[in-house]
Amino acid sequence: MSDAYAQPTTEADRAIPGPLAGYTTLRMGGPAGRIVAATSADEIIRAVQATDEPILVLAGGSNVVIGDDGFPGTVVLVRSGGLRVLAEDAESVTVRVEAGEPWDDLVAATVRNGWAGLECLSGIPGSTGATPIQNVGAYGQEVAETITAVEVYDRLDGTRQLVPAAECGFAYRGSIFKYQDRWIVLSVDFRLARSPLSGPVRYAELARALGVEVGDQVPLAEARAAVLRLRAGKGMVLDATDPDTSSVGSFFTNPVLDRATYEQLLERSAEVGDPPSWPGADGLVKVSAAWLIDKAGFTKGHPGPGGVAISSKHTLALTNRSGTASTGDLLMLANTIRDEVHARFGVTLHPEPVLINCTL
């Protein structure tokens, strides 16, 4: 699915400065010094090499918060697209996907072709090139499970490289590519299973929606349809007519706590019950950020300054409901939520989107 708010590439993109709000799903962001559209990996590299000023690489704009002062340098709009098969056999297929390919278009294509591995990531806005940066995940799947390599341009030494998945530093909602500007993603390689069935359903909510048990498999199209319904019900599928979707999706990541911090949280939450949690390796526990926010007094629809608000459908999404709110308004609400959650539970929430020329 294409980004509903990102403007199409035009010749004007290559020449004029202007506000970046039209290129983000939040519809927020001040002016750019210059905007350049790049429709291929070679054009992306040339655009980066052509200037010594600061560069912001922007594709779908679905996981970025840009400050009200905008970005003073050059913004490179990634508008490359397409995929090609690199290798295939009876059990799997490996495809290379250009960075600017709309993510949900790719997922839809894999489901049509009977390629399993991305079906539970349906409906996520943005571009394919952004997925390894964030190690995008939902409903029990992460892109790290299927990525075999990421093609990048290394600004440090001026080379084009293929980074194997093992060297990408994939972690919960992170990778070596996040929070730095050394590497610019050009394309992503995925190895997918040839199967009419999804992978084992790992997420209890999705299993209930499908009427199956956790661990069962279902036809790919059924898995995709169920995920799209669940996401739409939470305002997580872009819809220009629904102000709840003017967001970056989940604004905060689920905190990952060591055992001592988790035990302290249980003591402080005794009056409201135990938070939903998921055990991890080395005694770590992932805790629901949405639960912490709700129990700290910020329910669905909670208003903030300037027309921002918590989504009426999902506590983790902060929205530009008015369409005219500023980034400052959004960050004021986010700061209030973060401070109250810490005061109530002793847990610090961290933003999931990348913050550009602004801080939380």
Side-chain angles (χ1 to χ4, degrees), residues 7 50 73-74 93 108 144 154 175 209 217 227 240 257 294 342 348:
Q7 298 171 355
T74 295
V93 58
D154 188 338
S175 71
Q217 294 175 275
V227 169
L257 310 178
D294 180 77
H342 187 269
T348 299

Side-chain angles (χ1 to χ4, degrees), residues 221-280:
E222 291 185 16
R224 172 171 166 76
V227 169
L228 288 172
R229 287 194 300 271
L230 287 171
R231 289 185 63 85
K234 299 173 182 178
M236 296 292 189
V237 176
L238 287 178
D239 180 349
T241 67
D242 183 355
D244 275 332
T245 69
S246 295
S247 76
V248 290
S250 297
F251 192 90
F252 294 105
T253 58
N254 290 321
V256 178
L257 310 178
D258 59 35
R259 177 55 61 174
T261 305
Y262 177 64
E263 294 295 338
Q264 292 171 6
L265 169 61
L266 293 182
E267 291 178 7
R268 298 180 73 157
S269 65
E271 292 182 0
V272 292
D274 294 347
S277 60
W278 302 268

Side-chain angles (χ1 to χ4, degrees), residues 147-162:
I147 289 176
T148 60
V150 179
E151 184 186 21
V152 300
Y153 174 67
D154 188 338
R155 296 182 66 195
L156 186 63
D157 59 20
T159 61
R160 188 169 176 168
Q161 305 174 8
L162 198 63

Side-chain angles (χ1 to χ4, degrees), residues 152-209:
V152 300
Y153 174 67
D154 188 338
R155 296 182 66 195
L156 186 63
D157 59 20
T159 61
R160 188 169 176 168
Q161 305 174 8
L162 198 63
V163 182
E167 298 176 16
C168 290
F170 288 128
Y172 173 60
R173 300 300 175 267
S175 71
I176 63 169
F177 311 116
K178 192 172 182 179
Y179 302 126
Q180 59 74 48
D181 60 1
R182 174 178 174 178
W183 296 285
I184 296 173
V185 176
L186 303 174
S187 66
V188 187
D189 294 353
F190 298 90
R191 185 176 186 269
L192 305 169
R194 287 187 178 277
S195 172
L197 299 179
S198 69
V201 176
R202 303 171 186 165
Y203 205 77
E205 182 186 21
L206 178 58
R208 289 193 297 271

